[in-house]
Amino acid sequence: MSIKTEATKLIKSHLAELNSANEELGGVFITGLDGAVAVIGAEDSKKKIIFRTSFVSDNVNQLLDAQVLMQDLLEEEGIEAISEHDFNIAIGEI
């Protein structure tokens, strides 16, 4: 399964939680995690992984490309991606 197909399915199955994080935090944080792409929200002001893809790559550039693809797919659903700094401010860590 391609990363785009997998990401689209994950977004559709977690759309309610993604929308909630988007409203509460102003978006979600997208990062690479152990060679996969993770989409992170918050619960009780603590980071919570909403979902993560299967392994993408150990190659930094391929992982970054997958993160950009995830951001584009999320934006198509009206979900904003925010920086780690903005995310930490939103959950009160800064």
Side-chain angles (χ1 to χ4, degrees):
M1 177 181 324
S2 76
I3 184 66
K4 184 174 183 176
T5 302
E6 181 184 7
T8 301
K9 287 181 179 180
L10 286 166
I11 290 167
K12 297 269 185 241
S13 65
H14 292 89
L15 197 54
E17 194 172 359
L18 291 164
N19 280 319
S20 176
N22 196 51
E23 283 181 30
E24 186 178 326
L25 305 172
V28 294
F29 174 51
I30 303 169
T31 191
L33 186 64
D34 299 326
V37 177
V39 176
I40 301 174
E43 187 172 288
D44 298 325
S45 296
K46 294 188 175 149
K47 291 180 184 177
K48 177 186 175 218
I49 296 174
I50 297 173
F51 66 81
R52 67 190 272 181
T53 65
S54 57
F55 182 79
V56 175
S57 178
D58 281 330
N59 180 293
V60 174
N61 291 330
Q62 290 176 343
L63 194 54
L64 286 173
D65 288 345
Q67 290 174 39
V68 170
L69 173 64
M70 181 68 73
Q71 180 177 344
D72 291 344
L73 293 171
L74 285 166
E75 286 177 353
E76 287 176 11
E77 295 294 331
I79 309 297
E80 292 295 318
I82 58 176
S83 70
E84 183 174 18
H85 180 76
D86 289 343
F87 179 82
N88 287 333
I89 290 171
I91 64 172
E93 285 191 2
I94 294 179

